[in-house]
Amino acid sequence: MDRIAGIINLDHEQDMLDELTYFRCGAAVPFAGRYRMIDFAISNMTNSRIESVAVFARRKYRSLMDHLEQGKAWDLDRKRGGLFILPPDWNDPTDISRGDLQHFHNNIDFINRTLADYIVISGSQHICNIDYQDVLQEHKESGADVTVIYKKVDEMYSEHERAHKLDIDGNNRVTNIHNDRSSHNVYMDMYIIDKEFLYNLIEKCIAHGCSNFFLDGIKGKLPNIHINAYEYHGTHALINSVESYYRNSAKLLNASEHDDLFKEDAPIYTKVKNEAPSNYTQSSHVTNTMVANGCVIEGEVEDSILFRGVKVGEGAVIKNSIIMQRCEIEEGAVLENVILDKDCTISSGKTLIGAPEKPYVLAKRRSM
Amino acid sequence: MKNKECVAMLLAGGQGTRLKSLTKQIAKPAVYFGGKYRIIDFPLSNCTNSGIDTVGVLTQYEPLILNDYIGIGDTWDLDRKFGGVSVLPPFMQSEGGGWYTGTANAIYRNLKFLNQYDPEHVLVLSGDHIYKMDYGAMLDYHKETDADVTISVIEVPWEEASRFGIMNADDNGKITEFDEKPEYPKSNLASMGVYIFRWDVLKQYLIDDAEKEDSSHDFGKDIIPALLNDYKKMMAYTFEGYWKDVGTVHSLWEANMDLLKKNPELDLSNSRWRIYSKNPNQPPQYIAPSASVKNALINEGCRIYGEVDTSVIFYGVHVSESSIVKDSVIMPDVKIGRNVTINRAIISKGSVIEDGAVIGDPSPDSEITLVADEGSVLATSYATN
């Protein structure tokens, strides 16, 4: 059996979600009613029989560590392998590595010691349900040094503009990597690479003063290295702004998108909160809404997502909104096109309405 | 290693025949309750929340699912280096072996298990009841009163008292008499099947009882009467709160319906006294535009397109369009087709209800319909009762 180890590299992910990323990195942002963004990246790895996962974290990772704990939720509390949350080491005066190469350099032991022959490296912004064993098969068949994963998107949105795109020839070989808006081949910030090849490339990059492993080490080496392209066909969302967060959250209310992301044979795991089932009272009226456990709903909720432990008072109305953990919407309050971060309270009778294209975001623990 | 102050022994070997086909393949403590839980989650969570970290679970009848469910006990934080949860099935020894012949026998046969912790007190529990109770407070009472045995009792309505084991106690709470299901009860304090024994006392009585050939080796029938007979100090500890024996299909249904009352007596959402349960890792529930949900408890992984009224829905249940689920308990992973009507029923795990099926009798005092047999596909002609 081929062994794969995983690295989730958060180093170059910008915290672009405004209020939602004031105090946490993008990977720790709550998503889809009970998850955090990073749950998808980790679950994809464990569902692909990856038993050793390193998370390269640099900024605002307090919330992330609280969420990940020892990796138990993903079955990563192991004696062999398991979960490693690895911030950079700032204490080595001889260290000349820069950018995310500092992570690779400081944590080279993770790569050295793993029994795996292949490493999957991914970010946390591309929400999908992917089997890396399939990617590995194709990678091996192609004989490539690196296989990058991409999604051919039907419609280009603002979030795709910032992403890298791939030019691919008839043999699935990547000929160019760029930011050109005309290409729909969105690079998903995921690739699989042979361990030895990765190790040598890291050394070279550091010796040459590079600061971004993917851009300098892989993109920059084209066409001298063989980069194979793997097309991912499943449901996909790229979340790198409030707008893309809001629009892609709403997509989950669509049954086929939902079922393609939450597969029975490849579940998405997350930290368990032991909440009771959600309680709908006689006065509740809920339609087209995703509800996590522990909610008590007495009011009206439409086209929305409620995270765990949300309370909606009698006569309150919530439309097109995302309400995060433990928020309290008191009697008669009205919310429309709103994202409430955790622990917010909206007192009775208050009204909060955002624009459909630009939701109103309330930061954590605010009251109105 | 320091000894344990109190070790719990949870009697989970019962078949629960009155639950009919719900317990055909699983032991009663593994029966589902409250949209998310199994009965055994209640005593195990109570132990954890009460600070009791060592629990022996005595299994016998259909232990497969129970064993798998308990695992190493991490669900209840009972995966400990010293102590934690241990599943104790009957076993063979050089001098023979065999099934547990009674509740007292089950514990007698595990004296070695208890000896290794050398506890001061032993808490005996059953896996048949739904309640939230602080065993720590009961242990304090047991120690304060310097009792040999403390039995937890609850006030039951007088007219129902003859269905229970009734404790007669004096003004100081000292138990003077024990009547098993008395025709003319002298008190309405029913035993909850929760006992705390001083370990040295319990050990002696278990050893003595094992030697009696005419004994049924049962706590209620043999051990408690023997202790009373010897004028041991037995105290009644009065519990106030929700406590329910879910031994019949009707009482199981009723206990589920109790959760739907306004401000239910059993509060499952108190974060200081969580009831822990194995997590099925399913996405949040989805309530479709065509759905109507009133007065319901719904768990994750459910997809509701039809109408749900006054019902408890476990995880992974699908209710298709134009179907009505009323006054019912739908256990995990049940798939309900279109135009189905379900009234006053318990649908057991994994059932598939075909389009157009009509199940249950809506009249208020009718018997609760039980649809069991996992994975069965019901024909559209499935009749009521």
Side-chain angles (χ1 to χ4, degrees):
Chain A
M1 198 178 80
D2 293 312
R3 287 177 188 272
I4 316 178
I7 293 174
I8 296 174
N9 185 3
L10 306 177
D11 200 84
H12 44 79
E13 289 187 355
Q14 303 289 316
D15 303 327
M16 303 281 274
L17 269 66
D18 301 347
E19 285 88 345
L20 303 181
T21 45
Y22 279 179
F23 305 109
R24 55 167 94 86
C25 57
V29 167
F31 182 68
R34 68 189 294 252
Y35 306 94
R36 306 269 182 155
M37 294 288 292
I38 199 169
D39 293 345
F40 295 84
I42 303 181
S43 300
N44 282 334
M45 287 185 176
T46 50
N47 288 336
S48 305
R49 302 201 303 270
I50 295 176
E51 293 180 343
S52 192
V53 176
V55 178
F56 289 174
R58 186 184 290 272
R59 292 174 302 270
K60 300 187 206 170
Y61 52 77
R62 191 207 64 83
S63 163
L64 188 70
M65 289 181 74
D66 175 50
H67 176 68
L68 296 177
E69 295 177 322
Q70 286 89 40
K72 191 175 171 62
W74 300 269
D75 238 357
L76 286 173
D77 52 334
R78 317 230 136 249
K79 291 201 200 300
R80 288 162 61 95
L83 181 72
F84 303 86
I85 304 169
L86 303 171
D89 178 359
W90 286 282
N91 305 313
D92 180 359
T94 66
D95 184 5
I96 56 156
S97 60
R98 300 192 299 176
D100 72 345
L101 276 150
Q102 198 185 3
H103 271 302
F104 285 101
H105 174 69
N106 293 161
N107 301 311
I108 200 75
D109 284 349
F110 173 80
I111 295 162
N112 270 336
R113 285 183 193 150
T114 176
L115 299 169
D117 300 314
Y118 303 92
I119 314 278
V120 165
I121 301 178
S122 101
S124 75
Q125 295 179 335
H126 291 261
I127 299 292
C128 64
N129 193 322
I130 188 170
D131 186 346
Y132 291 118
Q133 290 289 345
D134 290 348
V135 184
L136 177 61
Q137 280 316 310
E138 203 183 287
H139 173 71
K140 282 164 67 180
E141 282 161 21
S142 73
D145 302 310
V146 183
T147 292
V148 296
I149 300 165
Y150 73 101
K151 170 79 182 176
K152 209 177 266 179
V153 296
D154 301 331
E155 210 174 330
M156 294 293 278
Y157 287 101
S158 59
E159 65 264 30
H160 300 123
E161 287 171 12
R162 276 198 290 270
H164 285 97
K165 322 290 185 312
L166 309 177
D167 288 346
I168 302 160
D169 71 10
N171 298 318
N172 275 339
R173 193 169 169 150
V174 176
T175 54
N176 201 0
I177 301 173
H178 53 75
N179 286 88
D180 193 335
R181 292 171 61 171
S182 63
S183 170
H184 283 211
N185 296 334
V186 173
Y187 164 57
M188 286 171 59
D189 200 12
M190 295 172 183
Y191 53 101
I192 189 161
I193 185 166
D194 296 34
K195 183 172 115 174
E196 289 305 312
F197 187 79
L198 171 69
Y199 185 79
N200 293 330
L201 209 51
I202 292 168
E203 296 230 299
K204 250 184 231 163
C205 283
I206 292 169
H208 287 87
C210 303
S211 61
N212 184 309
F213 177 71
F214 183 78
L215 295 183
D216 301 324
I218 295 177
K219 177 178 181 270
K221 296 282 188 298
L222 268 172
N224 299 325
I225 59 172
H226 180 178
I227 304 179
N228 176 56
Y230 175 93
E231 185 179 357
Y232 167 73
H233 292 280
T235 191
H236 167 258
L238 169 54
I239 293 170
N240 54 17
S241 62
V242 169
E243 191 209 332
S244 55
Y245 176 85
Y246 184 62
R247 182 162 23 76
N248 285 300
S249 293
K251 246 170 56 177
L252 295 171
L253 299 176
N254 173 306
S256 69
E257 294 271 358
H258 176 279
D259 292 353
D260 199 50
L261 186 59
F262 299 107
K263 294 179 181 173
E264 261 175 50
D265 57 352
I268 306 302
Y269 299 94
T270 191
K271 186 174 170 183
V272 171
K273 300 277 184 183
N274 291 291
E275 296 277 4
S278 278
N279 191 345
Y280 301 74
T281 67
Q282 199 64 43
S283 58
S284 74
H285 183 80
V286 181
T287 63
N288 195 35
T289 290
M290 196 176 194
V291 181
N293 272 351
C295 294
V296 180
I297 308 173
E298 299 181 74
E300 194 177 314
V301 189
E302 203 179 297
D303 305 322
S304 295
I305 295 177
L306 305 187
F307 281 70
R308 291 184 276 205
V310 169
K311 303 222 175 349
V312 182
E314 206 169 328
V317 178
I318 300 174
K319 282 183 184 164
N320 298 317
S321 294
I322 298 168
I323 313 295
M324 292 187 192
Q325 220 175 300
R326 289 192 305 272
C327 284
E328 274 196 64
I329 319 302
E330 294 179 359
E331 288 172 24
V334 176
L335 300 178
E336 197 173 334
N337 305 322
V338 167
I339 300 175
L340 297 189
D341 203 335
K342 290 166 67 178
D343 296 306
C344 285
T345 305
I346 307 295
S347 29
S348 58
K350 287 274 181 298
T351 298
L352 206 57
I353 298 180
E357 64 285 354
K358 199 176 185 319
Y360 188 93
V361 184
L362 201 60
K364 197 173 164 180
R365 269 196 285 279
R366 293 288 164 81
S367 300
M368 280 207 66
Chain B
M1 196 71 82
K2 204 168 171 287
N3 72 330
K4 294 278 180 189
E5 185 182 24
C6 183
V7 170
M9 296 296 268
L10 173 55
L11 300 160
Q15 184 178 353
T17 43
R18 290 175 303 155
L19 284 169
K20 301 180 184 166
S21 45
L22 274 179
T23 51
K24 205 165 112 187
Q25 287 171 46
I26 55 175
K28 182 176 168 188
V31 167
Y32 291 102
F33 172 79
K36 153 161 202 171
Y37 312 93
R38 293 182 189 258
I39 296 172
I40 197 169
D41 289 330
F42 288 82
L44 287 177
S45 301
N46 285 340
C47 282
T48 299
N49 289 325
S50 303
I52 291 169
D53 65 6
T54 309
V55 186
V57 181
L58 299 135
T59 61
Q60 174 148 290
Y61 175 77
E62 285 287 353
L64 177 66
I65 287 174
L66 205 50
N67 285 348
D68 179 51
Y69 187 69
I70 294 167
I72 58 165
D74 53 327
T75 303
W76 309 272
D77 230 359
L78 290 170
D79 51 332
R80 303 295 174 101
K81 292 210 190 308
F82 179 58
V85 73
S86 304
V87 177
L88 305 169
F91 53 91
M92 298 299 289
Q93 287 171 292
S94 54
E95 61 269 29
W99 300 114
Y100 295 147
T101 55
T103 50
N105 177 257
I107 294 182
Y108 169 73
R109 301 263 298 279
N110 287 287
L111 289 182
K112 271 187 205 155
F113 169 80
L114 283 162
N115 280 335
Q116 69 182 340
Y117 296 110
D118 187 24
E120 286 157 48
H121 308 280
V122 173
L123 168 66
V124 176
L125 301 168
S126 72
D128 301 344
H129 304 113
I130 301 295
Y131 63 115
K132 289 166 73 168
M133 177 175 178
D134 185 355
Y135 304 135
M138 179 174 168
L139 181 61
D140 290 342
Y141 177 82
H142 173 72
K143 290 192 295 188
E144 276 161 29
T145 55
D146 201 25
D148 294 311
V149 191
T150 301
I151 300 176
S152 174
V153 294
I154 186 164
E155 277 189 44
V156 294
W158 277 99
E159 62 273 19
E160 288 178 28
S162 53
R163 284 177 38 219
F164 295 93
I166 294 296
M167 298 288 163
N168 303 322
D170 66 17
D171 294 344
N172 301 319
K174 194 165 182 292
I175 296 169
T176 52
E177 220 178 337
F178 170 63
D179 290 333
E180 181 69 32
K181 296 182 182 149
E183 201 175 339
Y184 302 103
K186 291 180 205 153
S187 107
N188 65 339
L189 294 177
S191 165
M192 295 165 59
V194 176
Y195 311 99
I196 297 179
F197 292 89
R198 260 179 48 200
W199 171 225
D200 53 348
V201 174
L202 176 64
K203 187 163 31 177
Q204 194 53 54
Y205 276 80
L206 287 175
I207 291 169
D208 293 348
D209 175 74
E211 284 167 4
K212 287 183 198 149
E213 281 184 10
D214 58 342
S215 170
S216 53
H217 309 302
D218 183 89
F219 272 97
K221 291 192 190 99
D222 306 293
I223 303 290
I224 302 298
L227 285 155
L228 267 172
N229 223 18
D230 294 349
Y231 301 105
K232 288 288 174 189
K233 187 167 185 189
M234 301 176 71
M235 299 299 293
Y237 174 79
T238 310
F239 171 76
E240 281 168 14
Y242 185 88
W243 176 81
K244 189 141 184 141
D245 183 338
V246 288
T248 63
V249 172
H250 192 269
S251 64
L252 180 65
W253 175 84
E254 206 172 55
N256 277 286
M257 292 299 124
D258 285 346
L259 296 171
L260 298 171
K261 291 179 182 155
K262 217 176 161 86
N263 303 319
E265 252 191 287
L266 183 73
D267 177 13
L268 292 173
S269 56
N270 181 355
S271 60
R272 290 179 190 279
W273 204 276
R274 283 232 193 274
I275 302 302
Y276 300 101
S277 182
K278 208 172 202 170
N279 193 277
N281 268 304
Q282 299 208 11
Q285 54 209 269
Y286 173 67
I287 313 296
S290 58
S292 158
V293 177
K294 302 271 179 212
N295 197 23
L297 275 184
I298 303 184
N299 197 359
E300 60 194 38
C302 289
R303 302 186 68 83
I304 313 293
Y305 291 85
E307 190 182 327
V308 175
D309 183 2
T310 317
S311 295
V312 174
I313 316 283
F314 283 72
Y315 57 82
V317 170
H318 289 206
V319 180
S320 306
E321 274 177 50
S322 313
S323 287
I324 299 171
V325 177
K326 196 167 186 303
D327 300 322
S328 295
V329 179
I330 314 294
M331 289 184 175
D333 302 325
V334 171
K335 307 293 177 231
I336 298 173
R338 291 159 181 265
N339 300 307
V340 171
T341 304
I342 300 174
N343 272 298
R344 293 173 65 82
I346 296 178
I347 313 288
S348 74
K349 184 177 194 256
S351 301
V352 178
I353 313 294
E354 277 193 359
D355 292 356
V358 177
I359 296 169
D361 180 350
S363 52
D365 293 315
S366 64
E367 200 182 318
I368 301 305
T369 303
L370 174 63
V371 176
D373 289 332
E374 193 160 321
S376 61
V377 178
L378 296 167
T380 49
S381 58
Y382 190 87
T384 59
N385 292 320

